[in-house]
Amino acid sequence: MTTLPPPSMTSPGDPPLQRPPEPAYLTAPSRLHVLSRRSLILGAGGLVVSAGGVAAWMRASGSDSRTISPSMSPSTPAGAVAPSSTDPAAGPVATSGGSNPAPDPAAPIAPVVPNTAQARDRVLVVVQMSGGNDALNTLVPIVGGYHDARPTIALADDTLIALPGDPTYGLHPALGALTPHLHAGRLGIVAGIGFPEPDRSHFAALDMWWSAAPGQTFRSGWLGRWLDLGTPSSIEPDTLRVIGLGGAVPALKAERTNAVGVNELDRFALPRTDMAMLDAWSALSPSHAEARTATDAFVAIASGATTAAGGQDPSAGMGESVIDRLVAAAELIVTQPAVQIVHVTMGSFDTHAGQIETQARLLGELAAGVAAFQQRLVDAGQTHRVLLVTTSEFGRRVAENGSSGTDHGKAGVQFVLGDAVRTGAVPGRVSGGVSGGVSGGVSVFGTIDPTDLVDGDLRPVVDPRSLYATALDWLGVDPSGAAADIVLGSRYERLPFLPA
């Protein structure tokens, strides 16, 4: 895990702010004490549950009693829009001179996320398509220079999935399992999404997407900061409120909110051969009890899979594909009321060679996993509670390379899925501005145009923080957008097909 140093939060002339020290689990890995390979690794700042190798990580709550908001950049970032009010509750306000006041380090930030049963009942699932998914072969433009730029890896027009009311694009045929949601108006597509000044490095690009703060370094992630706003230091967060399937990625890093990271679903369990010993161990400390709570939840999921499979191996169907992780995510949401955020990692979309086969397989797994995920929620009557969004660190270059693949690019394509999504009348966007409203169930917001390039890449036209802000508004039942504005450091345009 990469250590993220504290952000710079000062304007010229301001005294330096005193930040609390980094948690020990980030700065002193040598202090971990290995008890056994099938036991626990305990450290001063966190807890790692292991079973035959490191299988999970649980971050302990920080000792700091407050959370400092993200630093404000010297000028309003590209893609940010001015708040409609100067009310402090509306979040940071960009002044006419382009400068924002530094936050007061002495003042605690009051929770602004609505602390209502409705807000806590909602669940956000983020699926990270690691490696950089190719936008141009995911959402294929029917017109333009697409086929010219990709003589061998371009998809034939007659193989594409047609979009309702939009003849200008088609979806990759491997995404067929998502067609019912597309036609029901529950699947929104964000085209041309990317930071204004993207980076083609996996590490730098992931840092941007995890922190939502390009050009700055944060020790917290965008999801972690939002969770901290709604988690007063006086209450103990729920153990299973935040889960990372595929690992606790930096997007979940928080000051006082716990996260459970699970690398291997079928190995995330404590030894159960001696239940009396396990009970005694669980009573040793709150951290032990939290570990027991987390692992018991996954044991129950595995047991359910065993029953459904007629008594077969509990690990059957609980591997490391995105299908398995999304099935587990749905089961957690249905059976564990505390769950509020689930981050699912899949990959790798780094298709420098042999892209046709690799991307088709991965997109097919994504679609199958999402379809199974949604079906479990339908069966439990809980689809109204859940929103799913995808991320990927960048798109890929328009022109194919000499290995039947594509190299790192800029703008990408992401999906937004849920009962709350409404794609009935989405305003279309053209490069350089926004066109008028388009009726007929248009599912795409933004654009990808292989003739409008920046250094050989698709031009970013939608800032990822617009996706984040929209998702956080919905999650917090927050039409004002105040919490998301604080988390993201400014106000960003919201996507049109998802009201809070």
Side-chain angles (χ1 to χ4, degrees):
M1 180 176 294
T2 303
T3 300
L4 301 179
S8 171
M9 300 177 54
T10 59
S11 300
D14 289 335
L17 303 183
Q18 298 300 314
R19 294 299 301 259
E22 291 283 5
Y25 75 93
L26 290 178
T27 59
S30 61
R31 296 179 64 183
L32 299 178
H33 304 286
V34 179
L35 302 183
S36 77
R37 285 181 60 81
R38 295 192 60 81
S39 182
L40 289 180
I41 304 174
L42 290 174
L47 172 66
V48 177
V49 180
S50 178
V54 174
W57 164 76
M58 181 180 292
R59 182 222 189 279
S61 297
S63 59
D64 189 21
S65 62
R66 60 188 175 86
T67 298
I68 299 178
S69 65
S71 64
M72 302 298 299
S73 58
S75 60
T76 303
V81 297
S84 57
S85 169
T86 56
D87 186 342
V93 178
T95 65
S96 59
S99 176
N100 292 288
D104 180 1
I109 293 180
V112 297
V113 179
N115 187 20
T116 64
Q118 185 182 10
R120 284 307 300 265
D121 191 52
R122 292 187 175 185
V123 182
L124 176 64
V125 177
V126 180
V127 180
Q128 177 181 303
M129 296 185 284
S130 300
N133 177 48
D134 177 41
L136 208 50
N137 272 23
T138 301
L139 181 68
V140 182
I142 304 300
V143 296
Y146 168 69
H147 288 281
D148 294 335
R150 300 184 167 193
T152 63
I153 68 168
L155 302 177
D157 291 348
D158 60 2
T159 66
L160 303 176
I161 299 169
L163 300 184
D166 192 343
T168 60
Y169 297 107
L171 277 180
H172 194 296
L175 294 170
L178 300 182
T179 302
H181 306 291
L182 183 68
H183 287 277
R186 293 190 298 266
L187 178 66
I189 304 169
V190 188
I193 185 169
F195 285 100
E197 296 182 7
D199 196 300
R200 293 195 183 102
S201 160
H202 287 293
F203 302 103
L206 280 171
D207 227 20
M208 290 182 182
W209 280 82
W210 283 332
S211 68
Q216 304 177 49
T217 53
F218 280 81
R219 65 176 180 182
S220 60
W222 68 281
L223 291 168
R225 293 197 297 276
W226 183 86
L227 287 159
D228 277 346
L229 284 175
T231 306
S233 58
S234 59
I235 66 172
E236 184 68 22
D238 296 309
T239 300
L240 291 172
R241 186 182 179 196
V242 191
I243 301 169
L245 300 180
V249 298
L252 303 176
K253 280 186 179 178
E255 291 293 324
R256 56 174 177 260
T257 305
N258 287 347
V260 177
V262 182
N263 294 330
E264 299 170 275
L265 289 168
D266 56 356
R267 303 173 72 187
F268 186 54
L270 293 169
R272 308 180 73 83
T273 53
D274 187 337
M275 295 304 296
M277 181 66 72
L278 180 56
D279 290 342
W281 176 88
S282 303
L284 289 176
S285 73
S287 293
H288 288 70
E290 288 182 21
R292 174 75 177 274
T293 299
T295 55
D296 281 355
F298 284 87
V299 169
I301 290 175
S303 299
T306 304
T307 302
Q312 296 179 11
D313 183 350
S315 65
M318 292 294 289
E320 300 315 306
S321 75
V322 70
I323 299 174
D324 300 329
R325 288 173 178 167
L326 282 168
V327 167
E331 200 63 33
L332 285 165
I333 292 167
V334 169
T335 62
Q336 303 294 325
V339 173
Q340 191 172 27
I341 289 178
V342 183
H343 188 284
V344 178
T345 303
M346 70 170 297
S348 168
F349 286 86
D350 199 17
T351 51
H352 290 282
Q355 176 173 304
I356 289 290
E357 297 80 9
T358 300
Q359 190 186 31
R361 173 178 58 80
L362 291 171
L363 290 179
E365 290 176 358
L366 173 65
V370 170
F373 171 87
Q374 285 293 113
Q375 187 58 53
R376 180 66 181 97
L377 298 180
V378 168
D379 294 342
Q382 298 195 30
T383 54
H384 64 285
R385 298 180 55 215
V386 184
L387 177 71
L388 182 148
V389 303
T390 67
T391 67
S392 194
E393 60 260 43
F394 41 62
R396 308 195 75 83
R397 296 184 71 78
V398 170
E400 66 181 56
N401 60 26
S403 301
S404 298
T406 51
D407 299 322
H408 300 175
K410 294 182 179 176
V413 166
Q414 304 303 336
F415 299 100
V416 182
L417 173 67
D419 281 3
V421 175
R422 298 288 184 271
T423 61
V426 174
R429 178 190 290 270
V430 296
S431 181
V434 178
S435 70
V438 180
S439 62
V442 175
S443 304
V444 178
F445 178 72
T447 186
I448 53 174
D449 183 353
T451 65
D452 179 25
L453 306 182
V454 180
D455 299 328
D457 294 329
L458 294 172
R459 181 185 300 277
V461 296
V462 180
D463 194 296
R465 289 163 291 193
S466 290
L467 172 65
Y468 291 171
T470 306
L472 293 179
D473 288 350
W474 177 87
L475 181 62
V477 196
D478 184 14
S480 74
D485 294 347
I486 291 175
V487 166
L488 301 173
S490 192
R491 187 163 184 85
Y492 290 86
E493 178 182 26
R494 269 46 173 184
L495 304 182
F497 41 57
L498 186 67

